[in-house]
Amino acid sequence: MTTVSGILVIGSGAMGRQIGMAAAVAGFTTTVRDVDPDAVTAAETDMRRWLEGRVVKGRLTAAQAADAGERIRFTTELEGPAAGADLVIEAATERLDVKRAIFAELDRLTPPHAVLATNSSTLGSSTVADATGRPDRVCNLHFFNPALVMRAVEIVRNEHTSDETVATVTEVARAMGKTPVLLTREIPGFVANRLMAAVREEALALYADGIASFEDIDAAARDALGHPMGPFELMDLVGLDVSYLIRRAAFEQSGDPKDLPHPLLTAKYEAGEFGRKTGKGWYGYA
Ligand code: CAA
């Protein structure tokens, strides 16, 4: 098992920045890298605000927050942080060509022992592993939104992933206070998104059939089943674009029409109503 002290996160969007923050709070020396300087600044501002909030809420002492702040750096630079990384977690855009280029570059810039993981929920790591010379050290390490809060992390092996790599990322996930969920092989949607999709597809069908309002379907999920959020609220949180693209990717992999995005989801996607991030999804956000 590789001992991890330095973590590099690629991408400072909603997932990347929170994965980086969780790693820094857990004691890892962390760098969050993005190609876009504005995204880097936004992520850093978000982190300072979040750390201050943790102290105000009594979740961290001022000293713990200051230490976490010291341990994390947001940057556009790649070479230096890559050279110091024992583990890279790629949370860049869900495009295969972009990810393959990133993995090839990481393979060149990181030390040979480093594990290269992807946070992708739609692309199994086998699609990027062969862009590197170390496919045994490549796997999925899939966090959930919001990554600072959600405890589960899916670890998905590709056919080359070594036991040592699984042990390394399992240890890191535990050190971050997460619950590892190990998948023995790649399947579209992994485990949690498949469970979520089952509920979402049923909810969309009930709503499309005029059985109940989407607000009432959400109330049933919350107050009859104890889910923290209803399926429509959850789509707004995750992003209707993300939900749509996950479904589209599942269809492209399986070719099975039952995996196609629901027409109501497609309509929201085409209207650009992506949920919280655009101010409108199923619900409105001022
Ligand atoms: N970022 C960081 N922290 C957040 C947050 C955010 N966006 N939203 C809430 N929190 C924190 C709060 O600070 C608070 O922490 P403390 O108790 O330590 O102070 C805690 O979460 C609870 O927050 P609230 O009391 O404000 O709100 P809540 O109790 O309604 O919880 C929630 C909010 C955690 C989002 C909860 O509603 C929930 O668990 N929802 C379900 C989320 C879910 O299912 N996520 C999985 C999505 S699927 C996915 O991500 C995979 C994929 O591939 C698409």
Side-chain angles (χ1 to χ4, degrees):
M1 188 173 73
T2 305
T3 303
V4 174
S5 58
I7 295 184
L8 167 63
V9 180
I10 303 291
S12 70
M15 294 303 292
R17 72 179 67 166
Q18 289 212 358
I19 294 168
M21 283 145 75
V25 170
F28 295 101
T29 303
T30 308
T31 304
V32 178
R33 191 265 180 173
D34 202 293
V35 280
D36 175 2
D38 292 339
V40 168
T41 310
E44 189 158 16
T45 307
D46 195 22
M47 187 212 48
R48 304 257 162 248
R49 222 181 279 134
W50 179 76
L51 282 176
E52 281 165 24
R54 293 287 82 188
V55 175
V56 171
K57 270 204 167 180
R59 299 284 193 256
L60 293 177
T61 64
Q64 286 169 328
D67 283 351
E70 289 288 312
R71 273 193 295 270
I72 189 166
R73 199 157 77 84
F74 292 83
T75 181
T76 53
E77 193 204 327
L78 182 60
E79 284 198 20
D86 305 303
L87 168 65
V88 182
I89 305 172
E90 173 275 321
T93 185
E94 288 284 81
R95 274 183 43 198
L96 183 57
D97 55 337
V98 174
K99 288 191 193 287
R100 284 185 66 84
I102 290 172
F103 272 77
E105 197 170 24
L106 289 171
D107 190 40
R108 200 166 46 78
L109 297 176
T110 56
H113 72 266
V115 169
L116 309 180
T118 173
N119 177 55
S120 180
S121 57
T122 54
L123 299 164
S125 68
S126 59
T127 61
V128 291
D130 66 344
T132 75
R134 59 181 100 180
D136 58 313
R137 294 182 176 276
V138 177
C139 67
N140 287 76
L141 190 58
H142 178 223
F143 292 77
F144 294 85
N145 188 349
L148 280 161
V149 183
M150 304 314 289
R151 295 272 307 276
V153 177
E154 289 175 321
I155 297 168
V156 190
R157 301 184 80 128
N158 72 60
E159 58 176 337
H160 302 292
T161 310
S162 67
D163 291 344
E164 191 190 339
T165 298
V166 171
T168 300
V169 295
T170 300
E171 193 55 35
V172 170
R174 291 219 171 97
M176 288 170 76
K178 304 293 185 195
T179 310
V181 175
L182 178 63
L183 276 73
T184 54
R185 64 186 169 90
E186 294 174 351
I187 54 163
F190 307 154
V191 167
N193 278 342
R194 284 214 180 191
L195 298 175
M196 185 171 73
V199 174
R200 185 190 59 224
E201 293 308 303
E202 194 58 38
L204 285 164
L206 288 166
Y207 176 57
D209 287 349
I211 305 298
S213 67
F214 66 80
E215 293 92 337
D216 282 0
I217 297 169
D218 275 350
R222 279 194 313 269
D223 297 341
L225 306 179
H227 291 188
M229 278 184 169
F232 293 94
E233 292 172 301
L234 187 54
M235 278 184 259
D236 279 359
L237 173 78
V238 168
L240 287 140
D241 54 336
V242 174
S243 300
Y244 171 86
L245 291 169
I246 288 175
R247 202 74 193 162
R248 208 54 242 177
F251 168 69
E252 269 148 32
Q253 282 175 52
S254 72
D256 186 341
K258 82 169 171 29
D259 287 338
L260 275 168
H262 192 283
L264 289 177
L265 185 54
T266 304
K268 288 277 179 203
Y269 178 76
E270 285 172 355
E273 293 178 2
F274 295 166
R276 290 191 188 189
K277 66 174 93 164
T278 59
K280 186 162 168 42
W282 294 103
Y283 296 87
Y285 303 87

